[in-house]
Amino acid sequence: MVRLEGQNAIELRNITKRFGSVVANDRICLSLKRGQILSLLGENGSGKTTLMNMLAGIYLPDEGEILADGKPITIRSPKDAFDHKIGMIHQHYKLVEVFTATQNIILGLKAKGGLNLAEANRKVQEICDRYGFEIDLKKKVYDMSVSEKQTVEIVKVLYRGADILILDEPTAVLTPQETDKLFAVMRNMKADGKALVIITHKLNEVMAISDEVAVLRKGKYIGTVKTAETSPQALTDMMVGHAVTLNIDRPQADELKKRLKIGNLTVKDKEGVKKLDDVSFEAFGGEILGVAGVAGSGQKELLEAIAGLQKLEHGSSILYIAPDGREQELYNLTPLDIIKKGILLSFVPEDRFGMGLVGGMNITDNIRLRTYRDGKLMLSDFAESKALAEKIVTDLEVVTPDINRTPLRRLSGGNVQKVLVGREISFNPTILMTAYAVRGLDINTSYAIYNLLTAQKMRGAAVIYVGEDLDVLLELCDRILVLCGGKVSGVVDAKNATKEEIGLLMTTVGGGKEATNEA
Amino acid sequence: MTGFINGLILLIVAAISYGTPLMFGTLGEILTEKSGNLNLGVEGIMFMGGAFGLGGVFYYEKLVGENANGVVAILVAILAAFIAGAFASLIFSFLTTTLRANQNVTGLALSIFGTGVGQFTGELMRVKAGGYVTISNGLKVFFSNTPFPKALTDIPYVGQLLFGHSVFFYLGLLLAIGMHLYLNKTRSGMFLKAVGENPATADAAGINVARNKYAATIIGGGISAIGGMIYITSIASCVWNHEGLAGVGWLAVALVIFCLWRPLSTIWGSILFGALMIMYLRFPLPFIPTDIYKILPYVVTIAVLILTSLRNNKDKQPPASLGLPYFREER
């Protein structure tokens, strides 16, 4: 069969996917053409990865059809996807650490005769030479950089004969030089007639690599445009949509007091990749500072660094200014050190049961995780935590069958979050940090949480609110700090800023100034 | 001087004879652990292998009487022990792979269960046979003597060292080499290692994780059980001796770690551990209780563990998913 360039390799028609009551993909139409690179653009939770997972055989669509070369097909498993020559490179690599590149690439493939690694090396090398991959095939995976591991994953998919490649945020873990190399091989694959999809939220990359851009927003298909005929600003508008009015109360505090001065904060992960890069800002008592950014831009690391849970690079500084004016440096202190210094810092982490609460324990015991040091000698003050638990349950209207018996895991997400937030604010913190505090909560509980945060602000606490919904950030916060790739790309006044402005800051590395000028 | 050399040769020969059951126990457990299953039931499996192996050859001789053939007797013993061990490991696999039970708990339970079954079977045979189970001396020599002709074993010094051991030692050598080749030179061995290292990756690559785990654990358990049979038929002279066998399975688990999961290393590792097991008999030290002496193999294992952890060499670590259950992700 002759395969013309520009011909549809895969066509998606009215694809719908639901998870429970949540519609992750709502009647999406998309076509992937041979010899073209398509960017799939959208905010977090817009359904990009879900959509592509249906091509990779991880999910089955609830409605709609997938056509390969014009014929309807069903993809039930990753193996089916391979049979249709579709290969997806996920964000989390699936590699065996103690094997070499070649061993990983040929893993699971049946072939005639014995195992001939030299022959396999030669075949893999051919593919690498054809597309310009630079990799030592005899190197073991545990010695590889993230970029090399990614190369192994891509070659693995090509070795299995994929014609349609889907890359899920491939550049998230790469340095700019590595990104350039990746784009070079992507162009080679394109020239070879492969159809490529790149999932990303970085606009500069979209503009640099793709032929067409398809935009999703909150599970809906917004449209496809030719890259040559669009601009970053136009794409941002498609991505974030128009502002929605939420009517969240935003009273002004009488006075702002500087509470936290972060200077040159740098944090590296295990692989040595910078998750926070030279971040500096100030937080004031009496205001809510919003933190916006696409997922994984360093929000988690930022809050954890302040809470004493991350190892900071040399030169970082976290200066705490107490209400009485005394200054304390929190550089590389542990959470216990911070408590011992008498700093009332509260942290509502993103992972409620992983970091905030113990699912198997009841409400009172979870409250005691914060108060157990208060007793005499070896004994905890049980009466104190019990009284506090009862107060939180009454004040925040937590619904629970029995506050001393029911394990927290059995409560609904909203009630769990109320317990966590209630516990953290019950100590009258001077700094209150929350990460995705309303994720998964219904409207009423969300507003209850907003009100609690605003009450803390009015009491004089410095509130740092990491959120994903730009509409909420714009109405709840006083100022918004935007992170992109671990760097501060801008701080905007929430009262005057627009959604498009923030959207552009979120997706433009270091292009902060230029972006604000345009807006 | 000659006296010393002769003493040394005797020690090595004895170390090899005590090391051979360990070699089988360890090789079986290495194969099991390469699939990511940590089967702590080796002790019980070797008990069962010992009792059923002895039972096999005992009833074989009873059946055919004086026509009993040495080679057939050995094969019967191997087969009986293998089936017993494979059955015990099948229980382990079903519980841990299919029902996803905790491997440590299941392995310990299997140890208790296996020692009980072995002990019960051994005692039952003894009582039924009228107080004493053993086989004729004519048949025994096949189990404990060397298969090589006298001309070879009579060569001074090296004759005893190279050719003076029971047939099982040579079988063990072949098995160790065979397993090394299988794990490192064949496609199927590579797939098995992938399952033990990263089952999710293996699964995504189209390798049947459960089938590999079952196969490696069942065959591995069978091989370990043969070790128990060798102990009873050669060292214990075909008499049910649960006291001697006790602890050998745990030593095998320790030896797996000592050998860093490499089949070829079990050859010298098991001889070393065999030597450590009998040193207290050959070289008693004054004022030092023999019990302290007997812990030497474990002390050596801990030392190796500390050293390998300190060096943090990725090639010398246990299979990455060892002991962890595998669920295909729901997501």
Side-chain angles (χ1 to χ4, degrees):
Chain A
M1 177 179 166
V2 187
R3 283 175 167 156
L4 296 172
E5 297 219 343
Q7 190 187 345
N8 277 355
I10 293 281
E11 207 179 332
L12 301 177
R13 281 191 192 155
N14 292 317
I15 296 286
T16 299
K17 178 74 191 171
R18 297 184 197 89
F19 294 105
S21 60
V22 181
V23 183
N25 286 149
D26 187 6
R27 281 166 289 146
I28 295 187
C29 304
L30 207 62
S31 48
L32 322 184
K33 301 185 182 77
R34 291 189 196 285
Q36 278 212 353
I37 300 176
L38 175 79
S39 284
L40 197 53
L41 183 68
E43 283 187 282
N44 309 317
S46 57
K48 302 170 302 230
T49 304
T50 307
L51 183 67
M52 288 301 116
N53 275 339
M54 282 187 273
L55 280 182
I58 302 202
Y59 301 137
L60 257 182
D62 293 334
E63 284 164 30
E65 57 178 357
I66 301 173
L67 285 81
D69 293 318
K71 286 187 272 308
I73 56 166
T74 315
I75 305 170
R76 284 202 180 78
S77 67
K79 201 185 157 296
D80 282 359
F82 272 131
D83 292 345
H84 292 291
K85 298 188 175 285
I86 302 171
M88 182 157 170
I89 290 99
H90 296 271
Q91 275 177 284
H92 302 285
Y93 306 138
K94 290 201 156 138
L95 297 170
V96 178
E97 291 267 310
V98 296
F99 282 6
T100 63
T102 302
Q103 283 178 316
N104 268 293
I105 288 164
I106 64 168
L107 189 65
L109 293 177
K110 295 189 177 55
K112 273 186 191 158
L115 179 65
N116 186 344
L117 278 179
E119 171 73 8
N121 269 327
R122 200 183 53 72
K123 276 192 190 164
V124 175
Q125 191 61 50
E126 259 174 37
I127 294 182
C128 293
D129 294 344
R130 188 153 95 203
Y131 298 106
F133 291 105
E134 288 167 21
I135 187 162
D136 177 1
L137 293 176
K138 286 177 182 160
K139 201 173 184 179
K140 297 208 169 168
V141 171
Y142 58 70
D143 277 332
M144 290 185 183
S145 68
V146 188
S147 152
E148 288 173 297
K149 290 181 192 172
Q150 186 181 59
T151 307
V152 176
E153 282 284 4
I154 299 174
V155 177
K156 189 166 145 185
V157 168
L158 289 172
Y159 187 82
R160 279 145 216 256
D163 276 340
I164 299 144
L165 280 93
I166 304 162
L167 296 106
D168 190 358
E169 296 192 31
T171 59
V173 290
L174 302 184
T175 64
Q177 293 80 6
E178 290 166 342
T179 304
D180 289 344
K181 271 192 193 168
L182 173 70
F183 283 2
V185 293
M186 282 177 72
R187 289 194 186 98
N188 289 339
M189 291 192 270
K190 171 180 141 179
D192 196 43
K194 311 251 183 224
L196 286 104
V197 181
I198 173 170
I199 302 180
T200 180
H201 20 233
K202 294 182 188 163
L203 284 175
N204 55 340
E205 294 176 1
V206 171
M207 301 305 290
I209 188 74
S210 59
D211 299 296
E212 287 189 343
V213 191
V215 183
L216 299 186
R217 188 203 308 149
K218 293 188 176 153
K220 287 197 169 64
Y221 173 62
I222 304 303
T224 303
V225 288
K226 291 222 181 321
T227 313
E229 297 165 8
T230 187
S231 68
Q233 189 61 55
L235 287 174
T236 310
D237 292 350
M238 285 173 79
M239 204 166 99
V240 295
H242 299 291
V244 185
T245 313
L246 298 167
N247 294 321
I248 300 172
D249 238 7
R250 181 163 51 192
Q252 291 300 304
D254 297 334
E255 62 170 334
L256 294 182
K257 271 191 169 171
K258 195 189 282 183
R259 187 57 33 85
L260 207 51
K261 189 173 183 322
I262 309 284
N264 312 101
L265 193 64
T266 303
V267 170
K268 287 182 182 166
D269 69 2
K270 270 185 290 181
E271 268 95 40
V273 177
K274 281 184 182 173
K275 298 307 257 184
L276 285 178
D277 190 357
D278 207 11
V279 169
S280 301
F281 66 92
E282 290 171 346
F284 295 88
E287 78 162 5
I288 298 183
L289 175 68
V291 178
V294 295
S297 299
Q299 299 95 319
K300 178 172 177 271
E301 288 79 8
L302 177 62
L303 297 196
E304 289 186 2
I306 298 171
L309 297 168
Q310 290 275 353
K311 192 186 165 295
L312 311 182
E313 293 299 313
H314 200 71
S316 308
S317 157
I318 301 172
L319 191 67
Y320 172 78
I321 301 121
D324 60 12
R326 276 188 308 130
E327 294 187 353
Q328 273 169 326
E329 176 57 49
L330 307 188
Y331 175 75
N332 276 357
L333 293 189
T334 65
L336 189 59
D337 292 337
I338 295 174
I339 294 171
K340 280 187 177 156
K341 280 182 178 282
I343 297 168
L344 297 167
L345 180 127
S346 282
F347 179 26
V348 178
E350 170 184 0
D351 182 3
R352 286 163 208 169
F353 282 124
M355 280 177 73
L357 301 162
V358 180
M361 300 199 317
N362 61 43
I363 295 182
T364 314
D365 286 347
N366 270 290
I367 303 296
R368 196 174 300 125
L369 291 178
R370 263 287 204 171
T371 65
Y372 74 97
R373 282 183 211 89
D374 295 354
K376 290 189 182 71
L377 294 172
M378 288 172 64
L379 305 171
S380 279
D381 188 341
F382 278 62
E384 181 199 351
S385 54
K386 202 169 174 199
L388 193 53
E390 277 161 8
K391 186 174 177 319
I392 290 171
V393 167
T394 327
D395 289 357
L396 304 190
E397 297 172 344
V398 178
V399 182
T400 168
D402 186 328
I403 101 170
N404 289 317
R405 291 243 175 92
T406 314
L408 220 48
R409 203 177 283 289
R410 297 244 301 273
L411 305 189
S412 73
N415 286 311
V416 167
Q417 187 69 343
K418 279 180 180 171
V419 172
L420 180 54
V421 174
R423 184 184 78 190
E424 292 303 315
I425 62 177
S426 64
F427 304 96
N428 296 326
T430 49
I431 300 174
L432 172 60
M433 302 189 293
T434 66
Y436 309 109
V438 297
R439 184 182 277 174
L441 305 190
D442 61 51
I443 293 288
N444 288 329
T445 319
S446 299
Y447 275 85
I449 301 278
Y450 301 147
N451 290 337
L452 287 172
L453 298 182
T454 304
Q456 288 301 307
K457 155 182 139 182
M458 297 310 286
R459 204 182 47 74
V463 181
I464 300 178
Y465 176 88
V466 173
E468 44 198 349
D469 191 328
L470 293 184
D471 292 315
V472 173
L473 281 164
L474 281 170
E475 292 204 18
L476 175 69
C477 305
D478 298 288
R479 286 187 307 144
I480 299 172
L481 174 87
V482 189
L483 289 176
C484 180
K487 290 188 176 138
V488 177
S489 56
V491 180
V492 296
D493 184 348
K495 284 172 220 70
N496 311 322
T498 63
K499 215 170 158 181
E500 289 76 17
E501 193 183 327
I502 296 175
L504 202 56
L505 284 173
M506 277 165 60
T507 47
T508 324
V509 189
K513 280 172 200 142
E514 177 197 334
T516 24
N517 291 344
E518 270 180 45
Chain B
M1 195 60 201
T2 331
F4 175 75
I5 290 179
N6 281 334
L8 194 66
I9 290 175
L10 274 178
L11 175 71
I12 294 175
V13 171
I16 288 179
S17 110
Y18 273 80
T20 307
L22 267 180
M23 185 149 71
F24 277 81
T26 307
L27 284 171
E29 182 66 7
I30 286 179
L31 187 67
T32 304
E33 293 195 12
K34 280 289 176 189
S35 77
N37 272 353
L38 177 64
N39 187 350
L40 288 179
V42 187
E43 175 85 358
I45 287 170
M46 290 184 78
F47 256 73
M48 287 171 70
F52 283 86
L54 177 65
V57 67
F58 176 67
Y59 286 109
Y60 163 71
E61 195 184 24
K62 240 183 151 181
L63 198 71
V64 295
E66 287 181 3
N67 302 326
N69 177 308
V71 178
V72 177
I74 286 176
L75 288 178
V76 168
I78 287 179
L79 194 68
F82 185 90
I83 290 173
F87 175 73
S89 306
L90 174 68
I91 301 175
F92 179 87
S93 293
F94 179 69
L95 286 170
T96 58
T97 306
T98 306
L99 302 182
R100 295 165 183 174
N102 180 300
Q103 293 187 12
N104 296 338
V105 176
T106 311
L108 290 174
L110 185 60
S111 258
I112 299 165
F113 171 77
T115 46
V117 170
Q119 179 68 347
F120 176 79
T121 314
E123 290 297 313
L124 187 71
M125 284 193 299
R126 189 177 65 79
V127 173
K128 274 200 160 181
Y132 196 64
V133 174
T134 190
I135 56 175
S136 66
N137 286 332
L139 210 48
K140 264 186 203 171
V141 293
F142 282 98
F143 285 90
S144 45
N145 285 11
T146 169
F148 294 104
K150 202 168 173 332
L152 284 173
T153 52
D154 276 353
I155 303 171
Y157 305 130
V158 288
Q160 276 300 312
L161 272 184
L162 292 180
F163 305 110
H165 317 294
S166 79
V167 63
F168 297 112
F169 175 67
Y170 303 102
L171 286 177
L173 285 183
L174 290 179
L175 186 63
I177 295 166
M179 199 180 285
H180 169 78
L181 293 177
Y182 170 72
L183 287 173
N184 295 303
K185 300 288 173 199
T186 70
R187 204 180 304 275
S188 142
M190 187 178 111
F191 291 179
L192 174 66
K193 280 199 290 183
V195 168
E197 289 291 335
N198 192 336
T201 297
D203 197 9
I207 298 170
N208 189 328
V209 174
R211 193 197 294 161
N212 269 285
K213 277 181 172 259
Y214 263 91
T217 308
I218 290 173
I219 295 171
I223 293 171
S224 292
I226 294 172
M229 180 275 290
I230 296 168
Y231 187 94
I232 294 293
T233 53
S234 58
I235 296 171
S237 311
C238 292
V239 176
W240 175 245
N241 175 356
H242 68 92
E243 278 172 11
L245 191 51
V248 177
W250 293 115
L251 266 185
V253 174
L255 190 52
V256 171
I257 301 165
F258 182 82
C259 296
L260 302 170
W261 294 266
R262 292 174 178 176
L264 284 185
S265 304
T266 58
I267 297 171
W268 65 269
S270 62
I271 297 173
L272 175 69
F273 270 45
L276 294 174
M277 276 167 81
I278 53 163
M279 289 273 264
Y280 74 97
L281 288 173
R282 308 278 160 141
F283 300 103
L285 294 176
F287 309 116
I288 295 187
T290 51
D291 298 309
I292 302 258
Y293 229 142
K294 283 182 189 169
I295 66 171
L296 268 179
Y298 300 100
V299 173
V300 174
T301 303
I302 291 172
V304 167
L305 260 182
I306 293 171
L307 283 176
T308 52
S309 310
L310 281 180
R311 281 176 55 197
N312 198 20
N313 182 332
K314 295 259 173 112
D315 278 326
K316 292 182 176 162
Q317 300 300 322
S321 82
L322 183 64
L324 305 175
Y326 172 63
F327 309 92
R328 186 178 279 191
E329 279 171 84
E330 303 299 329
R331 213 199 114 92

